Amino acid sequence: MKKNILFLTFIMSLNMQAQDRPKLVVGIVVDQMKMEYLYRFSDDFSPNGFKRLMSNGYTFQNMHYNYMPTYTAPGHASIYTGTTPSTHGIVGNEWFSRSLGKEMYCTDDASVKTIGDGTAKEGEMSPKNLQSTTITDELRLATNFKGKVIGMSLKDRGAILPAGHFANWAFWFSKTGAFISSSFYGSALPDWVTQFNQEKRYMPYITKGWNLFKPVATYNESLPDDNPYEGKLYNSIAPVFPYNLKDMYDKNDAGIIRSTPFGNNLLAEFAMKAIEKEELGKDNITDFLTVSFSSTDYVGHLLGPRSIELQDTYLRLDQTIAEFLVYLDKTVGKDNYLLFLTADHAGAENANYLRDNRYNVKSINPKDIIKGLKDFSIATFGEDLVLNYSNFNLFFNKDIIKSKGFDLNKVKQSFKDYLMTQEQVKRVYTEEEILGSTGNDYYLNFITKGYDPTQDGDLVILDKAAYIEYQGTGTSHGTPYSYDTHVPVLFYGWHVKHGESFAKKYITQIAPTIAQKIKIPFPNGTEANVLEEVLENK
């Protein structure tokens, strides 16, 4: 009898331990989503998408990135590592590496090959350039590699970096219309992925085309359909509805779906199929699914934050999220999954739109910046000392500087003086100033947290607020200003109480918070500052 009681006690303790973690963690990143969109489009959202997450979950109203540059790859890496580029090493989407002396892409890995029906280059990707562990890595370690981790996105970087080093799979979209992976993860795609690709689920969206999701009167939060601040979708005659996607597809490839809301729909379908076929959340060993919706970024860059196209993309995404939540409820169970939603960065207003409304700013063509730097160098030193300018980083050709006997410190000062005469420049920082930061300079702190001395430049330039180093239409991002740093963070589901916080928080708090909530080790680079509100179980 005693043995039976001890056995039952042991079984009950195991069950209680299993309940200390959800069956599934779902991380959703919406590329280029400003917190403002949850306010501006609120009246037109359904009660079952974003509003459900906010009404029943916990909303951080004042969440920010705490480094520069605010780009996609550093954003995804920072969310999942709980640290910044100075530690995790992903200092841009692509960047000129000082140590390598050449440009590199964040997930480039020539040692691996494409798996699936993609081009050779599209699959030469892995997380090897990520220098810290992710929360997904720590889950794999904590479960003795029994918990599954799968990452997915239309973008390779949006799939690979969140999934971490130990993922079972990461999948991303090829211009062939297929979701692909790399030999880093396996020798062949799972059968269910091959089957999904063969169904060509993108084609019905392309054949139907893109028209407004709701009556045109709904879109009164946006500028008129045809306005001077929008770019043109795949050389369309004008940026107006309806869009003939079939014609664009015939002239290009399946990649055109990325720049429509339907890229998000396709990814959600793929995510639900992954949950089904990989049996995510089916046992008491926690799994982790990372989903990064990228179409919002493509549409935002091209057409801008005030376009009807962008609003339509978010209204459709709201519906997609609502359907995804219903699917999770049915397959995993309402009380069995922990979900968070955030963004990898936000985005600026179009500078010409601001200028036309009497704010004295403008877009600056990066090519003009580079030409000005080179012209100044030749005029001052008789040599082109500019090795590279990108991501607000200026690199000098130190071989020429050394061979000509120039003093590097005087070269830096000369370029600083020149740059400070440029209309868009607010401050210029040297490597020495960045590494010696005392914490007293607010914006220098952002640069310091985003700076890796083995990879970044000799000078880093801070532009004035609202100036954009970009083309005249659409928008961009990358700065430490609030329009680029202020993003939503919504927690929902397993042991998450309803509430909201207006206190300023940082994106690097997400990963350590999840670690504490599901009782696994912190990612190894994090400062381990947590969101205590989410740790207070309901």
Side-chain angles (χ1 to χ4, degrees):
M1 186 68 179
K2 273 187 179 179
K3 288 184 177 178
N4 288 338
I5 292 173
L6 288 171
F7 179 73
L8 288 172
T9 303
F10 175 69
I11 294 299
M12 289 175 67
S13 70
L14 286 179
N15 288 335
M16 288 179 66
Q17 287 176 22
Q19 293 167 8
D20 284 342
R21 293 177 185 164
K23 292 179 180 292
L24 178 65
V25 181
V26 180
I28 296 176
V29 177
V30 182
D31 205 324
Q32 202 188 120
M33 184 176 186
K34 299 158 70 79
M35 184 66 191
E36 176 216 354
Y37 296 150
L38 288 178
Y39 312 142
R40 188 172 6 139
F41 305 144
S42 176
D43 289 347
D44 305 318
F45 287 147
S46 76
N48 303 315
F50 291 117
K51 285 184 176 179
R52 175 180 169 184
L53 297 178
M54 297 177 75
S55 298
N56 299 317
Y58 201 96
T59 303
F60 291 93
Q61 301 277 4
N62 195 16
M63 179 67 70
H64 289 266
Y65 278 86
N66 54 351
Y67 63 83
M68 170 184 162
T70 42
Y71 294 138
T72 294
H76 282 82
S78 297
I79 291 165
Y80 284 88
T81 62
T83 188
T84 63
S86 61
T87 298
H88 63 59
I90 304 299
V91 297
N93 295 332
E94 57 276 315
W95 62 90
F96 185 88
S97 173
R98 180 191 300 193
S99 59
L100 297 178
K102 65 177 183 179
E103 292 189 2
M104 62 179 291
Y105 181 68
C106 57
T107 52
D108 269 346
D109 186 350
S111 71
V112 300
K113 304 298 181 186
T114 300
I115 300 297
D117 185 24
T119 65
K121 187 64 178 173
E122 286 179 302
E124 292 180 355
M125 305 286 166
S126 85
K128 78 168 190 177
N129 298 320
L130 183 63
Q131 298 172 17
S132 303
T133 63
T134 59
I135 188 63
T136 47
D137 286 330
E138 297 300 336
L139 177 69
R140 290 281 282 161
L141 291 169
T143 60
N144 202 20
F145 291 88
K146 293 176 182 177
K148 286 187 176 180
V149 168
I150 294 178
M152 59 181 61
S153 176
L154 298 184
K155 295 181 179 180
D156 46 53
R157 54 189 182 268
I160 292 169
L161 297 171
H165 302 86
F166 307 134
N168 298 84
W169 284 101
F171 303 107
W172 52 97
F173 192 66
S174 165
K175 61 185 178 182
T176 64
F179 281 95
I180 63 172
S181 191
S182 83
S183 56
F184 179 86
Y185 302 98
S187 58
L189 290 178
D191 290 342
W192 67 266
V193 178
T194 300
Q195 176 63 37
F196 187 95
N197 288 336
Q198 289 173 347
E199 294 170 3
K200 295 187 176 181
R201 296 192 184 194
Y202 60 89
M203 280 307 302
Y205 296 113
I206 289 174
T207 301
K208 185 177 181 180
W210 184 10
N211 209 337
L212 290 175
F213 182 53
K214 294 190 175 185
V216 65
T218 305
Y219 298 85
N220 58 354
E221 291 87 8
S222 302
L223 295 176
D225 193 14
D226 190 1
N227 65 73
Y229 313 110
E230 300 176 288
K232 294 179 180 179
L233 184 63
Y234 286 94
N235 298 316
S236 53
I237 295 174
V240 296
F241 288 97
Y243 286 99
N244 186 336
L245 302 182
K246 183 63 168 60
D247 182 61
M248 295 177 191
Y249 170 76
D250 291 339
K251 293 176 181 177
N252 296 277
D253 53 53
I256 66 120
I257 201 171
R258 294 186 177 104
S259 299
T260 76
F262 311 118
N264 293 334
N265 293 79
L266 183 66
L267 185 68
E269 290 181 28
F270 190 65
M272 290 185 279
K273 184 62 68 173
I275 292 170
E276 174 194 351
K277 295 299 184 180
E278 295 290 340
E279 298 186 330
L280 301 180
K282 289 299 184 184
D283 57 29
N284 287 330
I285 302 174
T286 303
D287 300 317
F288 206 128
L289 175 67
T290 76
V291 182
S292 178
F293 290 111
S294 305
S295 290
T296 44
D297 186 65
Y298 288 105
V299 174
H301 272 295
L302 182 63
L303 294 150
R306 297 285 168 178
S307 65
I308 286 181
E309 288 85 349
L310 188 80
Q311 183 173 354
D312 193 69
T313 299
Y314 275 95
L315 298 188
R316 290 176 182 273
L317 179 60
D318 178 65
Q319 181 65 33
T320 298
I321 288 173
E323 293 169 358
F324 187 47
L325 291 174
V326 169
Y327 182 84
L328 288 169
D329 292 344
K330 290 180 178 179
T331 58
V332 183
K334 287 185 179 181
D335 299 322
N336 294 325
Y337 65 89
L338 171 65
L339 181 147
F340 70 88
L341 182 148
T342 188
D344 55 348
H345 53 75
E349 293 283 0
N350 178 275
N352 291 334
Y353 170 65
L354 296 179
R355 188 178 184 88
D356 288 346
N357 284 278
R358 298 185 296 178
Y359 186 174
N360 187 28
V361 295
K362 66 180 181 180
S363 294
I364 309 294
N365 191 322
K367 292 181 180 178
D368 293 339
I369 296 174
I370 295 170
K371 183 179 184 302
L373 287 165
K374 290 180 179 292
D375 288 348
F376 167 77
S377 183
I378 292 170
T380 305
F381 298 99
E383 297 282 351
D384 180 5
L385 303 181
V386 177
L387 188 60
N388 182 273
Y389 176 75
S390 55
N391 298 344
F392 309 104
N393 279 249
L394 176 59
F395 298 80
F396 294 121
N397 191 324
K398 293 176 181 173
D399 289 339
I400 294 179
I401 291 173
K402 184 177 180 179
S403 68
K404 294 295 182 179
F406 297 140
D407 184 309
L408 179 59
N409 290 327
K410 290 182 178 179
V411 170
K412 289 180 181 180
Q413 189 60 50
S414 294
F415 274 87
K416 279 187 68 172
D417 293 342
Y418 161 75
L419 285 163
M420 288 301 297
T421 68
Q422 301 304 293
E423 177 184 355
Q424 78 277 11
V425 175
K426 179 72 172 178
R427 289 289 302 273
V428 182
Y429 297 97
T430 66
E431 175 187 4
E432 291 78 12
E433 289 170 323
I434 295 167
L435 296 179
S437 172
T438 62
N440 294 325
D441 185 325
Y442 179 74
Y443 289 114
L444 179 54
N445 288 339
F446 282 79
I447 292 171
T448 300
K449 289 179 181 294
Y451 188 85
D452 181 345
T454 68
Q455 302 189 94
D456 280 309
D458 299 289
L459 299 179
V460 177
I461 292 87
L462 173 66
D463 288 339
K464 295 173 185 174
Y467 282 81
I468 303 179
E469 296 186 11
Y470 198 59
Q471 59 197 25
T473 56
T475 192
S476 191
H477 47 86
T479 76
Y481 297 113
S482 61
Y483 52 77
D484 283 340
T485 66
H486 189 198
V487 297
V489 171
L490 315 176
F491 277 86
Y492 176 86
W494 182 82
H495 291 183
V496 175
K497 67 178 183 179
H498 169 60
E500 61 182 345
S501 169
F502 293 91
K504 189 173 185 180
K505 307 289 185 178
Y506 295 108
I507 206 77
T508 48
Q509 293 177 271
I510 292 175
T513 298
I514 295 171
Q516 291 273 274
K517 193 163 186 69
I518 66 175
K519 297 179 173 60
I520 64 175
F522 291 122
N524 61 19
T526 185
E527 294 181 5
N529 293 317
V530 299
L531 303 166
E532 293 185 12
E533 299 88 341
V534 177
L535 299 178
E536 298 170 0
N537 293 338
K538 62 180 180 180

